[in-house]
Amino acid sequence: MRMTVIEHEAGAGLGYLADWLGLPCDVVRPYLGEPVPERAADGLIVLGGEAAAWEDDDHPWLPATRDLLRASVEQGVPTLGICLGAQLLTLACGGTVERGAAGLEVGACAVTALPAAEHDVLFHGIGTAVAIQYHRDAMTRLPEGAVPLLTGTQYPNQGYRLGDSAWAVQFHPEATPAIFASWTAASGVQGLDEAVAAAEPGLIAAWRPVAERFAALVKTRATVG
């Protein structure tokens, strides 16, 4: 059993997920010239990055990534899109992603479960949890049939499920405080690193179970298949 992971830049890797998933991960780095596969392995994770989901000219692997996401949804491959990955999933499946009208959402922010989350395979029991945010773009219209699961104050579409095996989250469940600090150091955003570091116990408590449930789903689907 293996996980296909699309990484868009060196500073936005698997983070916590490398340990939490407990599965071998084939990390594809298209920014280094590695080709995006046409088909995922037993599961698919598409990570975040600075690119906008529509910036194909500057990031020429994005169309192939959207194709991979669309195919994975259609084939029932367990799929998780994170931040840019969530936005690419949204575009790939007919939704809309735009520059966010509310500006940059960054730091340790609260996300709140919607009623449908209580019956979701991954997100049941979340309630209100802290999450690391770093994005300017927003999923403004979800794909047809998407089930909203998580919301927030600055941007309402924080997480959804599409079908029974694909999920998108606008925030960064994979990001450690050290990863977040590297992002702020590169961008010049100040004053948030300490709060994110203090939030680490809450980050782990909320998102480690989600990652473990996703890995369990991958194992179950692969065994049944």
Side-chain angles (χ1 to χ4, degrees), residues 77-95:
V77 175
T79 298
L80 177 62
I82 294 173
C83 200
L84 172 58
Q87 295 164 359
L88 289 166
L89 176 63
T90 300
L91 285 183
C93 296

Side-chain angles (χ1 to χ4, degrees), residues 4 23 45 62 77 94-95 103 106 108 139 143 147 167-168 187-188 192 199-201 215:
T4 299
L23 288 172
I45 294 176
L62 294 183
V77 175
V106 59
M139 303 178 291
V147 178
W167 289 265
S187 66
L192 298 173
E200 184 169 30

